[in-house]
Amino acid sequence: MNHHPVSSFAGLIGFGVLMTAAAIAFIFAINLRFRQVTQAKRDDDRFYDMPSRIKNFLVYVMGQKRLPSHGYRYSGILHIFIFGAFVVLSVDTINFIVDAHFKALDIILRRPPGPAFHLPFSDGAVYQGLADTFRFLCIVGLGMALVNRTIIKPKRLPLTRDALYTLLFIFGLMFFEALQTGFHMAITGEVVPAIWFSGITTAVVSGSDPETLTTGYRIAWWGHLATLLAFSNYVPFSKHSHVFAAPPNWIFASVEPKGALRRMDELDLVEQRMEQDPDWAPEDLYFGARNLEDLSWKQIFDGLACTECGRCTDNCPASISGKPLRPMHIIVDLKHHAEDRYRAAQHGEKADLLAPENILAGGVIDTDVLWSCTTCRACMEVCPVGNEHIPDIIDMRRYLTMNGDPGYGSSKALKGMQRSKKANPWGLPRRDRGKWAEEMDDVVRDWDDENPSEYLYWVGCAGAYDDQGQRVSKSVSRLMNKAGLDFAILGKREACTGDSARRLGDENLFREMAKNNISTLDEAGVKKIVTHCPHCYNTLKNEYRQFGGEYEVIHHSELLSKLVADGTLKPQGEAAGRVVYHDSCYLGRYNDIYDPQRDIIDALPGVQRVEPERTRRTGLCCGAGGGQMWMEMDIGERMNYVRADELLATEPKVIAVGCNFCATMIGDGVKARNREEDVEVLDLAELLDRAVT
């Protein structure tokens, strides 16, 4: 007797009805999601450099690189078990569905049933053993997931109804498939030793009468099919839409340098139009993301890819310090807003784009949420599906700032940067930028356009005006001079790079500053730039190229580390004791520079380098990035106090930094804890300068 369920007319009808209904429902679901996403604008920048995109897919989707990292080993392993089962068993699923269609075709054509369909290699013992092992591992992973949500219970992962349904669906798939395989071996007598897990069923039911075995097989087969089709149609409407959305989300993730924000090409179009027609004055001209239509389709698609795992919020310094920002909620709230807008449109409601419920910044997303962000990139660094939270925040900040509503007192810094005679967020005279070097004529010289130096030392605003920053500038200069390097400074010709302006949302001001600085650098013939400010480093290296500025940019820790390694600079002197290094977000997560700083510390005599609990990629932000240096937000605890506590917990004599913002913020945190008498906050250059005679 043929035991296949579709080898009868009744089976054919049942299979046809189920497949047709499921296919119609699935097409409806995908079309619905597609229309919701395409309410936003096009983004053609997501289709170039396919080799890099395929690499992202292989590394982050197939390789699951992010899942067990950043302290999430337990949840990462359980997810790898489940994901691995989906990948390996997809071959079995194809065999299962295609074979059923062939059996249906046999009935329709009234021909004898053919042999079971198998993709090449999939009927061998190696694959079958691997597939069976992953059925077991998947069930283990599901058990671990249930334990995680019911016993371990991290705050980021509540046991929701959606999560429970998904676990049950996946368990059903594994259960029915194992049962089906076991009954099949019992019926045919073709026992494959490699199929050890499903073979448990075979061992239990062997010896039963043929009718009982056939009935058991058919129950398992129909259960497998019904669960597969039901789950496929449940997923697009649940938070587990990431099953379908995460792979393309990684393919379409940005392949630009991590430190480069999107260039607003629409500003170019406005400038061109105004040049062509000076009297042009559109009624509703605004910049940035005001409405859903101002976001790109990728920004909405992020919501479909989001697993709602909460890792981004777990690592967000704003969230940790009690501020209202929850990066996951931004992604999810934008997705829900797109759903609401689409639903209203389907009911014939025309959207009032100026209505509060349709304004993103201040309506869909509270402005305090947006201004809490330090742009530290911790959220994006841990996201397992490649979501891009910071561009969403910056686009909404652009709407607020460029339309007259900068946050929490930041307008003063923006005005200081805007004035050509100042060109710095402190609003101090530009003519004083080189004053710190007046007593260092034997070490530092001004840049000579006619006789360019090998290196331009880009001092930055803090290095020029801030007392501690000036000490760093002097140390860097002395070390470069001791190493015999040919370098010079621009003095009053230097201006702020505009990093804070861009991240506070004033893209127009940033463009003006970038173009002016690029013009100065190009006219001076600058090729190589050394800077001790990670924010200047990131802007000069990764963002000025958007406007034609191409330079070799070197952070001072990279240069000094090399000079120490090759013996040009030889640290000596007294032991510094315990030193803990605080990673700068814009040097570390944005530019993947972690080792040169530690190499410098390790080269110092008698130093014991210690690491805080959060370090390297998981290092906690000092709280100054994203323009926070110029804002006064009194919500929650100060981020720099939280970070200072983590660093002080290592009982250091010195907290080493590689950023002026970090030096200021961590220094204030140390003072707030009354530890300034026994703990110094020093830049790497200051530490090395003390040791090199």
Side-chain angles (χ1 to χ4, degrees):
M1 181 175 67
N2 192 334
H3 63 276
H4 197 286
V6 186
S7 295
S8 67
F9 185 74
L12 172 65
I13 296 300
F15 177 70
V17 169
L18 274 178
M19 289 298 298
T20 302
I24 292 172
F26 187 74
I27 291 171
F28 170 80
I30 297 302
N31 180 63
L32 175 66
R33 288 304 195 188
F34 177 78
R35 290 181 178 276
Q36 289 172 353
V37 167
T38 53
Q39 292 175 105
K41 65 184 180 183
R42 293 179 55 174
D43 186 355
D44 295 334
D45 287 343
R46 301 289 173 169
F47 297 92
Y48 72 96
D49 193 3
M50 288 310 296
S52 294
R53 299 181 184 281
I54 292 171
K55 179 183 176 183
N56 282 342
F57 171 79
L58 294 174
V59 170
Y60 295 109
V61 179
M62 302 306 295
Q64 297 279 285
K65 181 179 179 181
R66 288 248 175 108
L67 267 297
S69 62
H70 300 94
Y72 297 99
R73 182 169 297 176
Y74 180 88
S75 58
I77 290 173
L78 74 86
H79 192 279
I80 287 172
F81 286 170
I82 297 171
F83 175 78
F86 269 84
V87 172
V88 173
L89 293 172
S90 62
V91 175
D92 256 7
T93 302
I94 293 171
N95 290 341
F96 174 65
I97 295 297
V98 173
D99 182 58
H101 279 84
F102 279 148
K103 293 296 185 290
L105 191 61
D106 290 338
I107 294 291
I108 294 170
L109 298 177
R110 298 184 178 182
R111 66 189 183 190
F117 172 83
H118 291 286
L119 289 171
F121 77 80
S122 66
D123 58 345
V126 173
Y127 169 75
Q128 291 186 27
L130 182 66
D132 201 52
T133 299
F134 267 103
R135 289 186 196 110
F136 171 74
L137 290 177
C138 185
I139 292 174
V140 171
L142 293 171
M144 292 172 67
L146 191 61
V147 167
N148 202 28
R149 290 177 182 266
T150 59
I151 298 176
I152 300 175
K153 294 197 290 190
K155 289 182 180 180
R156 63 185 181 86
L157 283 178
L159 181 61
T160 61
R161 185 178 299 176
D162 187 18
L164 188 59
Y165 287 166
T166 300
L167 293 178
L168 290 173
F169 269 126
I170 299 173
F171 176 78
L173 284 173
M174 297 302 108
F175 173 76
F176 285 121
E177 186 169 344
L179 209 62
Q180 176 188 340
T181 303
F183 271 106
H184 176 76
M185 289 195 297
I187 291 171
T188 62
E190 299 173 359
V191 177
V192 180
I195 304 178
W196 63 274
F197 179 59
S198 301
I200 296 173
T201 299
T202 306
V204 171
V205 302
S206 289
S208 301
D209 62 272
E211 187 174 344
T212 299
L213 293 177
T214 299
T215 300
Y217 176 80
R218 289 179 174 176
I219 291 172
W221 192 95
W222 285 111
H224 183 188
L225 179 65
T227 306
L228 175 66
L229 298 181
F231 185 47
S232 298
N233 280 285
Y234 174 75
V235 162
F237 295 101
S238 78
K239 78 181 186 68
H240 289 82
S241 57
H242 74 271
V243 171
F244 297 141
N249 204 52
W250 270 117
I251 292 173
F252 295 122
S254 174
V255 292
E256 288 291 301
K258 291 191 292 184
L261 290 173
R262 178 184 71 87
R263 172 176 168 151
M264 286 182 67
D265 293 329
E266 51 266 44
L267 288 175
D268 292 326
L269 299 176
V270 170
E271 289 177 3
Q272 292 171 11
R273 180 65 186 272
M274 294 184 74
E275 287 176 2
Q276 296 169 358
D277 183 4
D279 297 326
W280 179 62
E283 293 182 4
D284 190 26
L285 180 64
Y286 66 91
F287 299 101
R290 184 183 72 182
N291 302 114
L292 178 70
E293 292 81 357
D294 301 313
L295 298 174
S296 73
W297 65 265
K298 173 62 170 63
Q299 289 173 296
I300 303 303
F301 193 78
D302 279 353
L304 299 183
C306 181
T307 68
E308 298 186 30
C309 66
R311 291 187 181 197
C312 53
T313 298
D314 243 9
N315 288 271
C316 174
S319 176
I320 290 169
S321 62
K323 294 170 180 59
L325 173 59
R326 305 290 183 271
M328 183 187 81
H329 291 177
I330 289 180
I331 300 292
V332 175
D333 288 348
L334 291 175
K335 178 183 77 169
H336 291 332
H337 178 60
E339 293 171 344
D340 293 342
R341 284 284 306 275
Y342 180 77
R343 195 177 299 115
Q346 291 302 103
H347 286 85
E349 300 175 20
K350 186 176 181 180
D352 177 3
L353 298 182
L354 295 179
E357 65 270 18
N358 291 325
I359 300 289
L360 299 181
V364 179
I365 309 294
D366 190 272
T367 54
D368 282 347
V369 168
L370 301 175
W371 293 120
S372 295
C373 180
T374 67
T375 67
C376 72
R377 209 175 188 275
C379 53
M380 293 174 63
E381 197 71 16
V382 299
C383 180
V385 295
N387 282 343
E388 299 169 1
H389 314 71
I390 294 173
D392 295 350
I393 292 170
I394 296 299
D395 279 346
M396 286 183 272
R397 281 188 177 186
R398 284 169 170 170
Y399 171 70
L400 292 171
T401 297
M402 296 177 70
N403 294 281
D405 190 20
Y408 285 90
S410 58
S411 58
K412 182 178 179 181
L414 291 171
K415 288 176 182 176
M417 288 183 269
Q418 191 173 18
R419 294 168 183 161
S420 61
K421 291 185 178 180
K422 299 182 185 295
N424 66 83
W426 277 282
L428 296 172
R430 189 167 179 173
R431 63 177 180 272
D432 293 343
R433 284 191 83 99
K435 271 193 171 182
W436 64 272
E438 287 180 352
E439 299 175 1
M440 302 184 72
D441 291 340
D442 57 331
V443 175
V444 183
R445 68 182 183 90
D446 286 338
W447 187 272
D448 182 355
D449 293 3
E450 300 300 321
N451 183 27
S453 300
E454 181 180 4
Y455 297 99
L456 169 68
Y457 177 27
W458 186 277
V459 177
C461 300
Y465 296 112
D466 178 71
D467 288 343
Q468 185 172 16
Q470 289 178 355
R471 293 198 299 271
V472 177
S473 301
K474 291 175 181 178
S475 288
V476 173
S477 299
R478 279 192 291 265
L479 290 167
M480 291 174 71
N481 183 64
K482 289 174 184 176
L485 300 184
D486 178 22
F487 73 98
I489 63 171
L490 286 175
K492 64 182 180 182
R493 296 165 66 189
E494 185 183 289
C496 181
T497 59
D499 159 80
S500 292
R502 191 171 222 193
R503 280 147 186 83
L504 284 168
D506 198 335
E507 182 70 10
N508 201 42
L509 174 57
F510 169 74
R511 287 160 63 94
E512 182 182 345
M513 299 175 79
K515 290 178 180 179
N516 288 340
N517 283 330
I518 290 169
S519 176
T520 299
L521 292 169
D522 289 350
E523 288 174 5
V526 173
K527 302 297 181 186
K528 296 180 182 180
I529 302 174
V530 175
T531 180
H532 65 262
C533 174
H535 296 262
C536 293
Y537 172 88
N538 180 70
T539 303
L540 292 164
K541 180 181 179 180
N542 296 320
E543 297 193 309
Y544 275 18
R545 64 178 61 186
Q546 295 175 341
F547 304 92
E550 295 278 353
Y551 314 102
E552 181 183 347
V553 187
I554 307 161
H555 188 256
H556 79 312
S557 64
E558 296 177 289
L559 178 65
L560 297 178
S561 173
K562 181 177 180 297
L563 294 173
V564 170
D566 65 19
T568 304
L569 294 177
K570 298 178 180 179
Q572 298 172 359
E574 298 179 359
R578 289 168 66 89
V579 176
V580 62
Y581 175 68
H582 163 74
D583 286 286
S584 158
C585 304
Y586 274 72
L587 198 58
R589 280 188 288 268
Y590 274 93
N591 289 286
D592 298 314
I593 300 174
Y594 297 102
D595 294 325
Q597 309 94 301
R598 290 168 170 82
D599 291 342
I600 292 171
I601 295 171
D602 291 343
L604 299 175
V607 164
Q608 179 189 359
R609 176 169 59 85
V610 293
E611 296 282 354
E613 184 177 352
R614 300 177 200 258
T615 187
R616 292 183 177 263
R617 293 188 187 279
T618 60
L620 192 68
C621 179
C622 73
Q628 293 285 347
M629 185 74 178
W630 321 111
M631 287 191 276
E632 285 297 331
M633 179 173 277
D634 56 358
I635 302 174
E637 189 175 4
R638 290 179 64 92
M639 294 183 210
N640 56 322
Y641 292 1
V642 176
R643 183 53 172 168
D645 287 341
E646 293 184 348
L647 297 168
L648 290 170
T650 65
E651 293 299 324
K653 292 296 292 180
V654 174
I655 298 175
V657 297
C659 170
N660 285 319
F661 285 0
C662 294
T664 297
M665 300 298 280
I666 301 301
D668 287 349
V670 170
K671 290 176 184 175
R673 300 308 188 226
N674 298 314
R675 295 290 301 277
E676 67 271 25
E677 295 298 325
D678 59 311
V679 178
E680 290 187 282
V681 179
L682 297 172
D683 188 89
L684 294 162
E686 294 179 279
L687 266 175
L688 186 59
D689 189 26
R690 289 182 179 182
V692 176
T693 56

